Amino acid sequence: MNRITNLEKLNKEEFDICIIGGGASGAGCALDATLRGFKVALIEKEDFAAETSSKSTKLIHGGVRYLEQAFKNLDFAQLRQVKHGLEERHTVIRNAPHLAHPLALITPVFSWFEGFYFTIGLTIYGFFAKNDSMPKAQWLNKKETFEHIPTLTPKLHSSVMYYDGQLDDARYCLALAHSANKAGAAVVNHISVTGFEKDKTGKLTAAIVQDNLSGKTTNVKAKLFINCTGPFGDSIRLLANSSLEKRLRPSKGVHIMLPPEVLKSQDAMLIPKTKDGRVVFVIPFEGEVMVGTTDDEYRDLEKEPILISQEIDFLIDTLRPYIAKVPDKSQIKSGFGGLRPLIASSGSKATKKLVRDHEVEFDETSNLLSLLGGKWTTYRLMAKDTIDEACKLLNKNVDCKTELHYLVGGENYHFEQWKTIQEKYNLEEDICQHLLKKYGSEVENILKIIENKDLKNRIHPDYPFIKAEVIYTIRHEMVCSLRDFFARRTRLELMDWKATSGSIKVVAELMSEELNWSSAEMQRNIAGYQNLVKNFMENAGIQ
């Protein structure tokens, strides 16, 4: 993924389709459209997965909460959403096995009746999963439950275990963008749409864009523009046609990160009900334990949604009935907030009651196609529906080819290869396993870089990230900023704020040399990112 080369293409070439937004839906659309033979540009104002797509609960699932609501309220839209999610689950895992895998979830129950109720529900949940080799739901007794998660409260009666999928959301999104680029799409991050050019009838002919790194502006010409900007979708819709009504009602969800001692398990926990009627997940992720999420309406889209102290209190209180030793605030290592791109209903439903389905909207006045709503698990189906519509508009009848298309790093991936890497390169076990899980069959490109012995060293002593990854991600994954690397290529910002802060200088020095930053630029980048991390900690009330 070469940003300079792709910027030149944006300047000089005309495209069949220009996709705005480099999250899961935009990158998914770019891959789908490119594989169908369209000439495609994908532009993203920040970084791939910088917003919603890097801030999910990291689950590939149909949604157990939606299933319960579907039956209780006879809501067939919720049921359809569950069915779509479970049908797509196996495809998400199959196409990038290095980034996605099955995950066992334990639901603690406190009576025989609760156990019976959840066993029936989760058995029905599994029934909707087609072409799926996931194990079926099981009712575990108390002893079996503690064998899975030893830190649970002794007050529980039993538990129900079922399976869903887990993914590294930011790196999965990057793999989609990288795969689209490899298939021929011109993929560029850190480039903002500031306006559109239109013909005499009001149809879009070009997007006016600004390179956020150089400040230069250019026009990207295309026959069709697709809006895949998630919770920010209304801004692009109104930029294309100011007479449109707003369609989206974003909601904020936060997660906190706790040390592994909270679970002492590779399995996750589902908390089936909170005081505000949600479910909360407690999930092992990258060696830490992630707890989330919340659901609150969010209106100030100009500001990044961040974790605040009251939200920490809510999540810890939610843990209280289920964990024998409840963690306190001082144990929190980091946290993050994200926005759901919910489509507004005609009534005044709370955001947690809105369906996570998607809609493909076509505005005849501007010729803008918008992909609205949706969720991570169904990104491929969302992209298929969108590009099917694009095919009609561009008079090209080509079937979707993404169902069996391996993403970059996914084909010929074998986890056991880490042992060969360890023997050949004399790296520690956790580093070898990390490199293989994150880069898959592309790992050889990193291993070539570590011929310089210093680049084999860890960035931080507590984590498996090494200096060679900084070089690799700049050269091959379009890293342009410190936050690109820490938040989305390695995920350290999500895992541990103090470790991130302590690693910034080391990474900045490597980036400075690779990106030709001046000394002043390097210091400015260090100070800016240090202040951002400090702000996260202060708002969360973490010292």
Side-chain angles (χ1 to χ4, degrees), residues 50-51 54-58 169 252-259 285 288-294 304-313 315-316 329-339 463 483 486-488 491-501 529 532-543:
E51 298 288 350
S54 64
K55 298 170 181 178
S56 74
T57 309
K58 325 298 182 215
D169 51 6
K252 176 187 178 185
V254 302
H255 297 78
I256 57 174
M257 286 288 185
L258 293 163
F285 181 71
E288 314 296 347
V289 171
M290 183 173 66
V291 183
T293 178
T294 56
E304 178 178 354
I306 60 176
L307 177 69
I308 58 175
S309 186
Q310 301 94 296
E311 292 164 332
I312 294 174
D313 294 337
L315 290 173
I316 288 180
K329 244 177 181 174
S330 66
Q331 292 177 269
I332 291 170
K333 304 183 80 169
S334 67
F336 59 95
L339 298 178
Y463 293 95
R483 198 173 189 197
F486 281 105
R488 292 172 289 273
R491 318 317 308 274
L492 189 57
E493 181 189 297
L494 273 65
M495 295 154 57
D496 190 328
W497 283 329
K498 289 179 181 176
T500 298
S501 184
Y529 191 48
L532 183 72
V533 175
K534 183 182 177 185
N535 182 55
F536 290 155
M537 296 174 72
E538 287 175 350
N539 277 279
I542 295 172
Q543 300 300 317

Side-chain angles (χ1 to χ4, degrees), residues 280-299:
V280 163
F281 294 96
V282 186
I283 301 174
F285 181 71
E286 300 296 314
E288 314 296 347
V289 171
M290 183 173 66
V291 183
T293 178
T294 56
D295 193 328
D296 298 290
E297 191 143 4
Y298 195 80
R299 297 184 184 276

Side-chain angles (χ1 to χ4, degrees), residues 375-387:
K375 57 182 247 181
W376 237 117
T377 306
T378 54
Y379 86 86
R380 195 195 68 84
L381 179 63
M382 292 156 56
K384 176 184 180 299
D385 289 349
T386 306
I387 305 305

Side-chain angles (χ1 to χ4, degrees), residues 417-427 432:
Q417 188 188 346
W418 73 264
K419 296 174 183 175
T420 307
I421 293 170
Q422 183 182 37
E423 186 177 334
K424 184 175 179 181
Y425 291 93
N426 194 28
L427 293 166
C432 297

Side-chain angles (χ1 to χ4, degrees), residues 519-532:
S519 177
E521 279 179 303
M522 184 178 80
Q523 293 306 320
R524 188 164 60 248
N525 282 313
I526 290 173
Y529 191 48
Q530 284 281 17
N531 287 336
L532 183 72

Side-chain angles (χ1 to χ4, degrees), residues 22-91:
S25 58
C29 282
L31 177 60
D32 191 327
T34 307
L35 292 178
R36 295 199 209 195
F38 290 108
K39 190 173 183 180
V40 177
L42 172 67
I43 54 179
E44 160 58 42
K45 71 174 181 178
E46 293 185 43
D47 184 30
F48 308 110
E51 298 288 350
T52 298
S53 294
S54 64
K55 298 170 181 178
S56 74
T57 309
K58 325 298 182 215
L59 288 177
I60 314 158
H61 64 129
V64 291
R65 178 170 62 94
Y66 308 134
L67 182 69
E68 187 176 35
Q69 288 180 5
F71 281 102
K72 280 184 175 179
N73 305 322
L74 296 178
D75 187 338
F76 294 106
Q78 297 277 14
L79 195 60
R80 184 173 63 248
Q81 180 67 6
V82 173
K83 186 171 180 289
H84 286 164
L86 290 176
E87 286 174 352
E88 285 296 305
R89 188 175 63 178
H90 76 284
T91 304

Side-chain angles (χ1 to χ4, degrees), residues 406-455:
Y406 281 107
L407 303 186
V408 166
E411 194 167 10
N412 300 318
Y413 164 73
H414 302 288
F415 177 62
E416 291 305 309
Q417 188 188 346
W418 73 264
K419 296 174 183 175
T420 307
I421 293 170
Q422 183 182 37
E423 186 177 334
K424 184 175 179 181
Y425 291 93
N426 194 28
L427 293 166
E428 291 174 76
E429 181 177 318
D430 64 329
I431 293 174
C432 297
Q433 293 184 358
H434 153 70
L435 291 176
L436 206 56
K437 284 180 180 178
K438 296 307 174 188
Y439 304 97
S441 52
E442 293 288 299
V443 72
E444 292 296 332
N445 291 320
I446 292 182
L447 297 175
K448 289 174 186 174
I449 294 171
I450 63 173
E451 289 171 5
N452 175 337
K453 290 183 180 179
D454 180 57
L455 295 177

